[in-house]
Amino acid sequence: QVQLVESGGGLVQPGGSLRLACVASRSMFSINTMAWYRQAPGKQREFVARITSEGSANYVDSVKGRFTISRDNVKNTAYLQMNNLKPEDTAVYYCRSVGPNPGWGQGTQVTVSS
């Protein structure tokens, strides 16, 4: 039921920044825990960051201090601010509504390379 569309991916040099956005529709966005996942070539999809309906956030260790997840319930949008990007961050990034109304976005490519 929840439709999610990611944007903001692209090519960036190491040390650079990107801000991903995930726009949700067809559900009550404000009640959903939102998350970002990523999948690099040849690897399984992994959890990156999560934010609850109350605004509590947590992150995978590899991005702590560099990435910030946030949400704007008026805009029905979740964000992932990515700073100090590293080549290891290269992946397709997926937005996820964990629940109570679940869904996945189609993904947006992030490439960190010189």
Side-chain angles (χ1 to χ4, degrees):
Q1 185 177 26
V2 177
Q3 296 188 157
L4 306 170
V5 179
E6 303 97 333
S7 64
L11 175 64
V12 64
Q13 295 185 10
S17 298
L18 287 173
R19 190 191 193 199
L20 306 183
C22 170
V23 180
S25 63
R26 296 182 177 270
S27 189
M28 295 294 293
F29 176 82
S30 63
I31 68 174
N32 294 312
T33 292
M34 302 297 297
W36 289 93
Y37 290 72
R38 66 187 181 187
Q39 187 167 22
K43 296 186 177 181
Q44 294 187 341
R45 190 172 299 185
E46 68 169 348
F47 164 81
V48 176
R50 173 169 48 233
I51 185 166
T52 69
S53 60
E54 305 101 329
S56 179
N58 66 293
Y59 306 85
V60 67
D61 286 345
S62 60
V63 309
K64 288 180 179 177
R66 300 188 298 119
F67 290 11
T68 302
I69 188 171
S70 62
R71 64 192 299 157
D72 185 335
N73 290 336
V74 175
K75 301 293 185 183
N76 289 348
T77 303
Y79 302 93
L80 186 67
Q81 178 67 48
M82 305 185 294
N83 298 326
N84 305 121
L85 283 161
K86 304 175 180 180
E88 68 176 22
D89 298 318
T90 296
V92 177
Y93 283 71
Y94 297 90
C95 179
R96 180 193 181 193
S97 176
V98 177
N101 305 114
W104 285 90
Q106 297 182 19
T108 185
Q109 177 71 49
V110 172
T111 302
V112 185
S113 179
S114 298

